[in-house]
Amino acid sequence: MARLHLVRHGETTSNVMRRLDTALPGAALTDFGVRQGVRFALENRPVHDVVLLSSFARRAQQTAELIGSVWDVEPAVTAGIHEVQVGELEDRFDDDAHGVFKEIVDRWHQGDLEARIPGGESLAMVYDRYLPVIEDLRSRHLQGTDQRDVYVVSHGAAIRLIAARLAGVDPSFAAGTHLRNTGTIELEFTDGGWHLHRWGAVTGPFGPRIDEPLVTDPMG
């Protein structure tokens, strides 16, 4: 069965600075981020034809282009799958801004869809733009006679929120288990629902756990 791979982009200068960088087009990859993209491609080279796409953010497009160059696949750019928009917190890297962001995201993971980042998005708004893209990919590529694995290069906070919604992941696991740059969440649509195979370095069980070590990026 074909699978959906939600891939976080490579490292950016904003990640290094812990800067809340969500507005398009956003920061570019660092040299290390470029190497991460190439390494991901080399370590995950597909056997069969795949679908590769990214958000409109510069960092996601660059990561997808690096992967596509190794796989000989032309990536597509797709609207609706960019990072959670942080509004008035944009470009900030202070502890107060991180605290506000974390508080809202924690409320989202606990089911408060209408809590909204000041000047930014609510979880309901993120769902409204992101989930239709996943549904379209599911119907066109993950089911039927012409199934192909789909790789979506997107963003840490958005990926975790969407994957948790699709697979019904324990909220404390989804909130506490971050994704490193070029980390992936791997899902499969079977028997009318989404099944979670991998969340970053974790292959299950997907219950409450402590965050992976050395994760400091608030968007991860």
Side-chain angles (χ1 to χ4, degrees):
M1 295 289 290
R3 294 185 179 183
L4 173 66
H5 306 259
L6 301 175
V7 184
R8 189 182 177 204
H9 60 80
E11 181 194 79
T12 70
T13 53
S14 295
N15 296 152
V16 175
M17 296 172 60
R18 300 182 71 241
R19 184 167 66 90
L20 295 171
D21 172 21
T22 68
L24 298 173
L29 297 180
T30 62
D31 290 343
F32 182 64
V34 170
R35 294 196 297 273
Q36 286 178 315
V38 173
R39 179 175 180 176
F40 176 88
L42 292 172
E43 293 181 346
N44 296 275
R45 194 188 299 269
V47 177
H48 304 290
D49 290 342
V50 299
V51 176
L52 174 63
L53 54 99
S54 77
S55 80
F56 272 91
R58 181 183 291 115
R59 56 197 181 275
Q61 290 192 58
Q62 288 178 318
T63 304
E65 289 166 359
L66 291 163
I67 295 170
S69 68
V70 175
W71 292 356
D72 195 24
V73 174
E74 185 68 29
V77 182
T78 302
I81 57 173
H82 49 276
E83 183 59 287
V84 172
Q85 298 297 287
V86 298
E88 295 174 12
L89 305 180
E90 186 72 19
D91 289 329
R92 289 176 58 180
F93 51 85
D94 56 283
D95 289 343
D96 287 345
H98 288 181
V100 172
F101 179 77
K102 183 180 185 303
E103 177 188 357
I104 297 297
V105 172
D106 285 347
R107 288 171 63 183
W108 290 351
H109 281 296
Q110 295 298 326
D112 187 353
L113 273 64
E114 300 304 328
R116 187 169 179 179
I117 298 171
E121 290 185 297
S122 67
L123 182 54
M125 296 166 70
V126 177
Y127 283 166
D128 285 346
R129 61 173 170 81
Y130 207 121
L131 288 174
V133 177
I134 299 300
E135 176 62 20
D136 179 64
L137 293 170
R138 179 194 64 78
S139 63
R140 289 196 294 127
H141 302 299
L142 302 179
Q143 292 184 293
T145 58
D146 185 27
Q147 296 185 21
R148 291 185 287 172
D149 277 15
V150 177
Y151 289 80
V152 177
V153 183
S154 183
H155 307 268
I159 286 174
R160 290 162 56 214
L161 290 161
I162 294 300
R165 165 65 179 265
L166 294 175
V169 176
D170 181 279
S172 61
F173 175 89
T177 310
H178 292 205
L179 275 183
R180 299 173 187 269
N181 292 109
T182 64
T184 64
I185 294 179
E186 183 178 329
L187 303 111
E188 181 181 6
F189 191 82
T190 58
D191 300 322
W194 290 95
H195 177 72
L196 178 62
H197 287 281
R198 173 180 295 276
W199 186 298
V202 185
T203 55
F206 302 102
R209 60 176 277 115
I210 298 174
D211 195 3
E212 294 183 73
L214 303 179
V215 175
T216 60
D217 175 10
M219 306 310 297

